[in-house]
Amino acid sequence: MEQALQVSKELNKPILIDFTGWFCANCRRMENEVWSDPQVHKRLSEDYILLELYVDEKLELPKDEQYVSKFSGKTIKTIGNKWSDYEAKNFNVNSQPYYVIVNTKGDVLVPPQGANYSVQNYIEFLDSGKAAYEKNNGRN
C-alpha cells in the first residue's frame, strides 16, 4: 500500500485498489470479460497505478506485524487477513472483487464498486475516477 501511494505521487496517477483473491471466480471473470477489453486495458495501464490486494493470501505476516483487529476482534496473522480486515474496516465490505479508486493520500475519489460485467460500466467507473483525480489535483 505504501509503495503504491509513493508511485502514485511520483507518476501523478490515481490508484485502483483491486481487492481480489487467488480463488475468486468473479475476479477471474472480471479480468477475462472486462479487463481484457482493449479500452479498459488501455485505461488500466495508462491512467492508474494498479494495487492488487489478495484477501486469501496465506503468507504469514512477521510476528511484529500481527495484531488483533479493532474492527472484527479477530487475530490478523496473514497478509490475506490484513487486506480482508482493511477492506471490511474501511469500506464495510468483505467481498471480491471490490474496486476502490484513491488519490495519492489514499482518499476515495468515487463510489467503489464490486463485480459488474458491463465493459461500458467499468469504462465509466475508470473515467470518473480519473476525472475526479484530475479535478482534485487542479488539472482539467
Side-chain angles (χ1 to χ4, degrees):
M1 178 66 87
E2 293 304 316
Q3 184 180 14
L5 291 169
Q6 183 60 40
V7 172
S8 172
K9 289 175 190 165
E10 290 172 9
L11 299 180
N12 196 27
K13 293 181 180 182
I15 299 169
L16 174 66
I17 301 173
D18 171 20
F19 289 98
T20 189
W22 294 112
F23 303 104
C24 173
N26 290 333
C27 301
R28 300 299 85 78
R29 183 174 172 199
M30 280 293 294
E31 291 163 5
N32 292 330
E33 294 180 17
V34 178
W35 284 23
S36 63
D37 177 85
Q39 292 181 66
V40 172
H41 186 265
K42 182 178 189 330
R43 286 165 171 81
L44 289 174
S45 61
E46 293 179 8
D47 299 337
Y48 284 92
I49 304 303
L50 178 60
L51 174 60
E52 294 180 301
L53 302 179
Y54 285 82
V55 301
D56 58 356
E57 175 58 61
K58 301 296 184 203
L59 191 64
E60 255 194 40
L61 291 165
K63 291 288 183 199
D64 63 335
E65 292 182 28
Q66 295 180 16
Y67 62 97
V68 174
S69 169
K70 293 178 183 171
F71 180 77
S72 69
K74 295 179 181 177
T75 302
I76 306 303
K77 293 183 178 182
T78 67
I79 291 173
N81 294 156
K82 177 181 174 179
W83 298 132
S84 181
D85 184 59
Y86 179 83
E87 180 185 18
K89 177 180 67 178
N90 289 289
F91 307 107
N92 206 30
V93 170
N94 195 12
S95 63
Q96 295 77 46
Y98 195 65
Y99 306 105
V100 183
I101 298 174
V102 300
N103 65 16
T104 59
K105 297 176 188 170
D107 301 324
V108 176
L109 295 173
V110 295
Q113 70 175 30
N116 180 323
Y117 306 108
S118 162
V119 168
Q120 187 57 41
N121 169 77
Y122 207 73
I123 288 171
E124 290 169 7
F125 172 66
L126 294 174
D127 287 351
S128 70
K130 181 181 177 188
Y133 179 82
E134 290 175 349
K135 179 180 178 189
N136 291 333
N137 284 311
R139 298 184 337 194
N140 288 325

